[in-house]
Amino acid sequence: MQTLTLDELKTLTEWEQGPCVSLYLPRHQAVSELGQDSIELRNMLDDAETTLQQMGLGTAEAHQFLKPARMLQNDPVFWKQGSAQGLCLLIAPGVFHQYDLPFQCPEMMSVDNTFYLSPLFYKVFEDDRFHLLAICPKSIRMIRHQNGEFKEVELPENIPANLEEFTQGIEFEESLQYHSTASAGPGGDFAGMQHGHGLTKEQNEKVLTDYYQLLTRQLENYLENNAPPLVLVCAEKQQNLFRKHFHGNQLLPEGIATSPDQLSARELVELALPVVESHFKTSLHKARERFQKQLGTSRISHQLEEILQAAEQGRVETLFTPLGSELWGQPPGDGELIKTHAQPESGDIALLNRAIRNTYRHGGTPYVVQPDDMPDQHPLLASFRW
């Protein structure tokens, strides 16, 4: 299973070496229904194999082409693991991609000269991404949240795992200066001591200050400039020390002043969600607002032919289409109207998918959304750069 990145999405939109098989399967969560998913995938692969043969591949060649997907279909371990709600398989000459999806994707099978990618753009550009940093004396945990899913991130070795690791092996002198009796950790940035054992209040304060200076410096280097918002969870005193020394622009002004020591990752995320939602709006919301302000101007269109040509020319800035919606037909010539079909007919291509691919290839932003999140009641909407 792979994690889909924006760079990989760009590569997939540019792939034009066919045949390209794209399979989307909604997953059942009940154990009693696990076998149904395997059967559905088998049926989809049977249809794909037939289509490949109709395109000119021999029986053995078509079977070999789909072999990685057949192996997955027959793997009982795969169907019993994970909590993914959807499965995406993309197959092309020398290429096999498997993506677990955190949403119920519409069932779909496509065999074409390009990949069918529309469902992969669902929620990609909605700003529900954030990092959560939970600090207590015994541990430092970072949790990444995106698309309703979360997982704990393994931090680099140059970030001290806890306060005790930082302070191990440091000896104090009466002048409150200290030196290490142990070799420095990775990168030579820290050693450690037994914090709080026989130290004066001033010594404890100095240790804490140095610890947070190191911690914040290493985190600033670790987090990219365009990293998502950062929610801090720790006791109030630690909140003040961290904020005093952290200079990255990711840190939200409102944190959660409590000890995270006994809280699970899920409990921490549940605490952070209201904080994040109160400090930023999703990019989708902002894009809808910009779209509404441009209504009635030449920068807005719901005409399929116009949008397809503009996407091909790189003029589409923002595109909206509902998840699971598709229109089939032939791409338009100059001034030509398109006759569309709800189901593909011989020679048809997926027109909405084509608009999405070309929009993203040229730096535009395609939003695949729930029908209720469309700015207007049309299967395709676009705002133009010019």
Side-chain angles (χ1 to χ4, degrees), residues 6-292:
L6 292 179
D7 286 341
E8 188 165 8
L9 259 179
K10 183 72 178 299
T11 300
L12 292 173
T13 62
E14 295 170 346
W15 185 275
E16 294 182 346
Q17 183 182 347
C20 298
V21 176
S22 308
L23 301 173
Y24 294 87
L25 180 70
R27 295 283 302 273
H28 294 86
Q29 302 301 303
V31 174
S32 61
E33 296 179 301
L34 288 176
Q36 182 178 339
D37 293 340
S38 176
I39 294 171
E40 289 293 335
L41 180 57
R42 181 192 66 195
N43 294 336
M44 295 173 74
L45 290 170
D46 289 345
D47 291 341
E49 191 165 329
T50 299
T51 304
L52 288 169
Q53 292 174 21
Q54 292 171 349
M55 296 174 66
L57 271 68
T59 302
E61 189 180 4
H63 183 78
Q64 183 66 25
F65 190 88
L66 298 174
K67 185 177 179 180
R70 292 287 190 189
M71 292 175 64
L72 190 69
Q73 172 228 318
N74 293 316
D75 183 359
V77 176
F78 167 75
W79 297 108
K80 292 180 181 179
Q81 67 185 5
S83 58
Q85 299 183 56
L87 172 66
C88 167
L89 301 180
L90 303 178
I91 312 163
V95 171
F96 178 75
H97 295 297
Q98 173 201 334
Y99 301 110
D100 282 351
L101 306 178
F103 59 91
Q104 285 275 315
C105 58
E107 186 172 315
M108 174 73 177
M109 189 278 289
S110 169
V111 182
D112 206 337
N113 291 322
T114 59
F115 288 120
Y116 190 87
L117 302 174
S118 296
L120 294 185
F121 283 91
Y122 180 59
K123 290 199 171 192
V124 164
F125 301 105
E126 293 188 40
D127 286 339
D128 71 342
R129 300 177 304 136
F130 65 87
H131 283 146
L132 182 151
L133 185 66
I135 304 175
C136 61
K138 295 183 179 180
S139 68
I140 296 175
R141 289 181 286 166
M142 179 170 282
I143 298 167
R144 178 179 294 131
H145 178 279
Q146 184 173 6
N147 292 339
E149 301 288 315
F150 62 88
K151 66 177 181 179
E152 193 156 337
V153 178
E154 184 175 349
L155 292 170
E157 291 184 354
N158 63 358
I159 294 178
N162 51 53
L163 181 57
E164 289 183 0
E165 178 177 302
F166 172 76
T167 56
Q168 183 182 5
I170 293 179
E171 293 181 352
F172 276 77
E173 301 171 357
E174 291 184 2
S175 64
L176 299 185
Q177 301 298 313
Y178 57 82
H179 62 275
S180 171
T181 61
S183 59
D189 285 318
F190 60 86
M193 65 169 265
Q194 296 298 315
H195 171 62
H197 291 269
L199 303 184
T200 66
K201 178 179 178 181
E202 291 81 2
Q203 290 171 332
N204 270 325
E205 292 294 335
K206 178 167 179 56
V207 170
L208 285 172
T209 297
D210 289 353
Y211 170 66
Y212 277 95
Q213 285 179 336
L214 171 65
L215 175 62
T216 54
R217 182 171 71 250
Q218 301 292 23
L219 281 170
E220 286 173 15
N221 293 333
Y222 171 68
L223 295 172
E224 300 175 358
N225 290 331
N226 61 348
L230 178 65
V231 180
L232 182 63
V233 184
C234 56
E236 185 172 354
K237 181 175 181 179
Q238 282 69 46
Q239 289 268 346
N240 295 333
L241 281 167
F242 188 92
R243 293 177 184 280
K244 179 179 179 180
H245 299 291
F246 187 81
H247 304 295
N249 58 8
Q250 303 93 343
L251 185 62
L252 292 180
E254 181 182 354
I256 301 170
T258 187
S259 173
D261 190 26
Q262 302 298 320
L263 298 177
S264 68
R266 181 175 295 279
E267 290 171 326
L268 288 168
V269 168
E270 289 175 353
L271 285 175
L273 283 172
V275 174
V276 175
E277 290 169 357
S278 68
H279 281 92
F280 67 85
K281 297 179 180 179
T282 67
S283 63
L284 171 61
H285 181 82
K286 295 177 181 178
R288 289 178 59 187
E289 284 185 339
R290 290 194 298 269
F291 185 92
Q292 295 290 348

Side-chain angles (χ1 to χ4, degrees), residues 291-353:
F291 185 92
Q292 295 290 348
K293 290 178 180 178
Q294 294 174 342
L295 282 175
T297 72
S298 59
R299 297 277 299 276
I300 297 295
S301 178
H302 60 80
Q303 297 295 328
L304 179 60
E305 296 85 356
E306 184 181 18
I307 294 173
L308 284 168
Q309 291 182 351
E312 190 103 26
Q313 298 162 358
R315 293 195 295 115
V316 175
E317 181 177 47
T318 307
L319 193 77
F320 299 91
T321 189
L323 177 66
S325 178
E326 189 54 81
L327 294 172
W328 303 85
Q330 294 293 322
D334 289 336
E336 180 185 357
L337 294 178
I338 303 176
K339 184 178 181 180
T340 61
H341 314 119
Q343 298 296 327
E345 298 184 2
S346 178
D348 281 355
I349 66 169
L351 297 170
L352 303 189
N353 182 66

